[in-house]
Amino acid sequence: MTLLLLAGLGACDKQSPPAGQGPKATSGEATGPAQSGIPGKGGEFSYTLDRSKAGTPAPDFTFQNPDGSDAKLSDFSGKPMLVNLWATWCAPCVAEMPTLDAVAADYGKKGLAVLTISQDNQGEAVIKPFFEKHPLPHLKGWIDPENQFGFHYNTGMLPTTVIYDAKGKEMVRVVGAMDWNSKEGRALIEAAMAS
C-alpha cells in the first residue's frame, strides 16, 4: 500500500496534460492555463484550483527545518501560510520555485509564511545542493522525510500548494504549477493576507 501511495506521489509528469489537451476540471474546481515555464528549464505552469477542503485545519505533522530541527505548521500560527510540496526531480516544481521566491520576498515581511517542503526521499542530500545551485534567497529547504504532507493532501501530484488563512484553516489548494507572479496567483495571496 505504501509503495502505491509513493508511486502516486511521484506523478509529477502526469500533472501536465498531453500536448493539445487542456487541463481537466471537475465540479467545484477551476483550471489555469498552460504557460511556458522557465525558458530552457522545462516544465509548464498548469494547475487546478481545489476549494473542496476549505475550512479544514492545517495538519500538525512534524517536519524538518533547514537546520535539521523539528518544525510544525502550528509554529506559524497567527500568520497566513503558503505550504508548497515539491521535489528536486519535478520540472514543474523547479519552474515554479522562482515565482514562490518572489512571493516570499514581497509578502514574507508582511507576515506570510512561505514553506517549500521537499518530498524528496533523499532529504538534505539533494535539498542542500539544490539551494546552493539555484538563487532562491527568500526560500528555505524544509524537508518532510516521511512524506506525511503528501499522503495527507492526497493529490497524487507535485507540486501541490495549500494556502491557509491566519487561523490555520485551509483556503485553497493549487494542484500543479502556478506562476505566483500572475494576477490569479497574487489574488490568492492577497486573500490569505486579508484573512
Side-chain angles (χ1 to χ4, degrees):
M1 181 68 168
T2 301
L3 290 175
L4 288 173
L5 289 172
L6 283 174
L9 223 137
C12 173
D13 59 337
K14 294 181 183 177
Q15 72 93 20
S16 296
Q21 296 181 8
K24 296 178 182 176
T26 59
S27 178
E29 297 178 344
T31 59
Q35 301 171 346
S36 298
I38 299 171
K41 299 288 185 185
E44 291 183 348
F45 295 123
S46 178
Y47 57 88
T48 300
L49 297 180
D50 179 359
R51 298 180 193 275
S52 67
K53 309 280 189 305
T56 304
D60 206 28
F61 303 128
T62 300
F63 56 103
Q64 290 180 351
N65 279 303
D67 66 8
S69 62
D70 288 344
K72 291 186 173 191
L73 294 183
S74 57
D75 296 341
F76 303 90
S77 72
K79 295 182 176 186
M81 294 181 289
L82 181 152
V83 177
N84 174 264
L85 303 186
W86 70 289
T88 58
W89 47 263
C90 170
C93 299
V94 173
E96 183 182 53
M97 293 295 269
T99 70
L100 288 166
D101 188 67
V103 166
D106 294 344
Y107 292 94
K109 57 188 164 245
K110 298 176 185 175
L112 178 69
V114 178
L115 305 168
T116 50
I117 303 177
S118 169
Q119 301 297 289
D120 285 280
N121 291 331
Q122 300 89 350
E124 186 180 356
V126 293
I127 301 308
K128 187 175 180 183
F130 178 87
F131 277 95
E132 288 171 354
K133 179 180 177 182
H134 298 277
L136 301 165
H138 302 97
L139 297 180
K140 296 181 181 178
W142 309 87
I143 301 170
D144 178 15
E146 307 283 326
N147 295 119
Q148 295 177 97
F149 287 94
F151 291 124
H152 176 76
Y153 294 146
N154 196 29
T155 66
M157 294 185 193
L158 292 176
T160 291
T161 303
V162 181
I163 298 178
Y164 293 96
D165 65 19
K167 295 177 184 171
K169 304 289 185 186
E170 183 170 329
M171 297 178 72
V172 63
R173 292 182 186 194
V174 179
V175 182
M178 173 179 269
D179 177 354
W180 291 95
N181 291 318
S182 69
K183 183 178 178 182
E184 185 170 25
R186 292 300 172 122
L188 295 175
I189 300 300
E190 290 290 344
M193 296 303 293
S195 67

